[in-house]
Amino acid sequence: MAKVPFGSLSAAIAALGTVLAFFALQLRADGYEQYVESVANFSVVMFVTAALIVVTWIRDGRPHSD
């Protein structure tokens, strides 16, 4: 079975979190305050997901004990 591409998956999800953070800032600047909190929360969820993928990547690299 092939290795899961943890690095590219984590980078793509972190990039999505960054785009959503900038989108939340743009929404705030344009006056759409009612949507800012939802978009900002989703951005934080993407960053946490990316961090958990990195943790999984590190744990997957360790030798497995039987």
Side-chain angles (χ1 to χ4, degrees):
M1 190 160 97
K3 282 286 261 187
V4 179
F6 289 114
S8 59
L9 179 64
S10 177
I13 291 176
L16 177 61
T18 303
V19 168
L20 288 170
F22 283 119
F23 184 54
L25 292 174
Q26 187 64 43
L27 285 172
R28 179 169 299 216
D30 290 342
Y32 292 102
E33 290 290 329
Q34 68 267 26
Y35 302 113
V36 171
E37 185 178 355
S38 297
V39 174
N41 284 338
F42 195 64
S43 173
V44 169
V45 168
M46 291 298 103
F47 285 123
V48 169
T49 303
L52 290 174
I53 290 171
V54 169
V55 169
T56 303
W57 187 10
I58 291 169
R59 290 183 55 111
D60 185 58
R62 290 183 179 174
H64 300 286
S65 61
D66 291 332

